[in-house]
Amino acid sequence: MKKVMNMLTAAALLTGTLLSGLAAPAGALAANAAAAPAGCQADDHGLKLAAMKDTGSAHVQAIQFLGANIGRAAGNGFMIGTSDGGCHWQSIYNTGKLSFNQMQFLTNSVGYVLAKTSAEKQNTLLKTTNGGTSYAWVPTGQYGFDRIQFLNENVGYGFTRQFTFKTTNGGKNWTKVTTPPNTRYVQFISQDKAWAIIVKAAGGYEVMKTVDGGKSWVNSLAVQSSVNYGGAIYGTDSSDVWVVLYGSSGMSQTSYSVFHTSDAGAHWKQVISNTTAGGGPAPGPEVAAGKLPGPAGRPTDMAVIGHSAAYMAAGTGALDQVQFGRSVDDGKTWKNLPSGVPGYEAKLSFVSPSSGYMAVTSDSHSGVYKTINNGTKWTKLFGLPDSN
């Protein structure tokens, strides 16, 4: 494939305070969100988190846990970390110069992030080798990636709305990956196996897959829809995949569907069909109202653990609780649960089928929560100063 971008010599840009103590990764609504465990704090732990002047109050925008205890949360101007499962947090980066939109740490030291230096600029790709204290610029040519996915320190992918790029040397060079026309989302499981969402000119979606790194693509699922605003793909195994497809939005309501395959696309099951009055029909076959409900609002993230558990966070400004749902039997059944967590947007990071973390990413009530029982109950671990 033709090289489309070359990397310039990377240099460390920014420094912050080194996070110490991290090691290599070895009923009712109100009742569902619990207080922090004894001996743990649920406030901002005395950290004075800087916020970007043009992005409003400080709030979390990304979360990632490498294991049960080691994790990070980052937002507009800061990155914090914990080495004891969220009981205590420390500042890693706190200069306010970077607004972190995504982070992917491969080890406790090495990671890649997408960040902005101001709201009007495109994302910049950065690499850290000291846990997030300082960063080296990874040039991506004219493109600002919307999302990244690294399989290891050398092999990674950068995604824009329409294009997919690949590096095999840690960002020194990038090549464009061939994807079907009108591709809107791609998820690589390995260098050979990937899935893609394609919007059809006449309406509707196709979900396609490749087993040769993008040299050829085959259709696996066709979904009828009067509109096609895109979607997302989740999964850690090429045979077990979850696909979210969006319908329309209106009156603070979003229509969407979720499809799942456990046999590499040989068979698909519609797990959620969320038709709404404001957003109209959900993509896919007509389903009786309320028969396959998902969390209310617009899905903001999913977390999938192997072939067993899948979790979804959703929300809308019209509701004062993060909406949450789950399947703990690989899509056979789906259940929506009251989270008890204030806010209307969230990101998820699960480390086992039962244990995971939720970062509330809305401007208000931003903070981090933890569950140890499949999302049945959430415990507040960290709250920003303006959180309630």
Side-chain angles (χ1 to χ4, degrees):
M1 293 182 286
K2 184 179 179 181
K3 293 180 179 179
V4 296
M5 292 176 265
N6 293 315
M7 179 180 180
L8 304 177
T9 302
L13 295 180
L14 303 165
T15 59
T17 303
L18 180 64
L19 174 67
S20 61
L22 294 189
L29 280 175
N32 271 30
C40 299
Q41 296 174 253
D43 57 12
D44 68 344
H45 292 252
L47 300 176
K48 296 180 180 179
L49 302 181
M52 301 289 287
K53 293 181 180 180
D54 55 354
T55 56
S57 59
H59 57 280
V60 181
Q61 297 174 165
I63 187 169
Q64 184 192 9
F65 271 74
L66 293 172
N69 295 315
I70 307 297
R72 291 168 177 81
N76 54 336
F78 66 90
M79 181 182 291
I80 57 176
T82 179
S83 58
D84 58 8
C87 187
H88 300 92
W89 294 83
Q90 298 167 289
S91 176
I92 302 175
Y93 172 91
N94 190 22
T95 74
K97 294 180 180 179
L98 292 175
S99 181
F100 297 94
N101 292 317
Q102 185 190 352
M103 57 183 173
Q104 186 181 2
F105 279 83
L106 304 168
T107 69
N108 192 41
S109 300
V110 178
Y112 292 89
V113 301
L114 286 180
K116 291 184 177 183
T117 55
S118 63
E120 66 274 7
K121 292 185 179 180
Q122 63 185 16
N123 279 326
T124 298
L125 178 60
L126 305 170
K127 181 181 180 180
T128 180
T129 57
N130 58 14
T133 301
S134 61
Y135 297 91
W137 175 44
V138 183
T140 57
Q142 63 179 307
Y143 296 99
F145 295 150
D146 299 322
R147 182 171 54 91
I148 54 172
Q149 182 192 4
F150 277 82
L151 303 180
N152 53 55
E153 188 172 352
N154 291 316
V155 179
Y157 299 87
F159 306 96
T160 69
R161 176 171 169 76
Q162 292 180 306
F163 302 117
T164 298
F165 298 94
K166 178 182 180 181
T167 180
T168 57
N169 52 19
K172 294 179 181 178
N173 308 102
W174 294 89
T175 57
K176 186 181 289 186
V177 178
T178 301
T179 56
N182 300 317
T183 294
R184 291 295 180 267
Y185 196 98
V186 178
Q187 177 77 359
F188 275 84
I189 309 300
S190 68
Q191 290 195 64
D192 293 325
K193 297 179 180 181
W195 292 86
I197 296 174
I198 292 84
V199 297
K200 299 166 64 175
Y205 296 95
E206 288 182 341
V207 178
M208 305 186 76
K209 69 175 182 178
T210 180
V211 294
D212 55 17
K215 296 177 182 178
S216 62
W217 293 83
V218 295
N219 186 34
S220 179
L221 174 68
V223 178
Q224 296 298 315
S225 179
S226 57
V227 297
N228 45 22
Y229 293 128
I233 301 172
Y234 301 89
T236 58
D237 185 305
S238 61
S239 65
D240 198 85
V241 177
W242 296 75
V243 178
V244 180
L245 299 177
Y246 290 112
S248 189
S249 297
M251 300 188 303
S252 299
Q253 300 173 344
T254 297
S255 298
Y256 68 93
S257 292
V258 174
F259 295 85
H260 173 248
T261 180
S262 58
D263 55 12
H267 302 89
W268 289 88
K269 177 182 178 181
Q270 187 166 7
V271 180
I272 293 175
S273 178
N274 226 54
T275 294
T276 64
E286 183 177 351
V287 176
K291 183 178 180 180
L292 296 176
R298 181 179 177 88
T300 55
D301 200 14
M302 283 191 74
V304 176
I305 302 295
H307 287 248
S308 56
Y311 301 92
M312 174 181 283
T316 169
L319 301 172
D320 60 358
Q321 301 277 347
V322 173
Q323 306 299 296
F324 179 78
R326 72 184 188 192
S327 173
V328 292
D329 54 12
D330 201 29
K332 294 181 177 64
T333 60
W334 183 273
K335 185 176 183 179
N336 298 317
L337 299 174
S339 72
V341 175
Y344 55 88
E345 291 179 349
K347 296 291 180 65
L348 300 171
S349 181
F350 270 73
V351 296
S352 75
S354 61
S355 180
Y357 297 82
M358 176 192 295
V360 177
T361 57
S362 45
D363 291 341
S364 61
H365 306 293
S366 190
V368 178
Y369 294 76
K370 179 180 181 179
T371 182
I372 57 173
N373 49 21
N374 306 99
T376 301
K377 184 178 181 179
W378 292 90
T379 300
K380 187 176 183 179
L381 300 178
F382 184 93
L384 290 169
D386 62 339
S387 299
N388 295 325

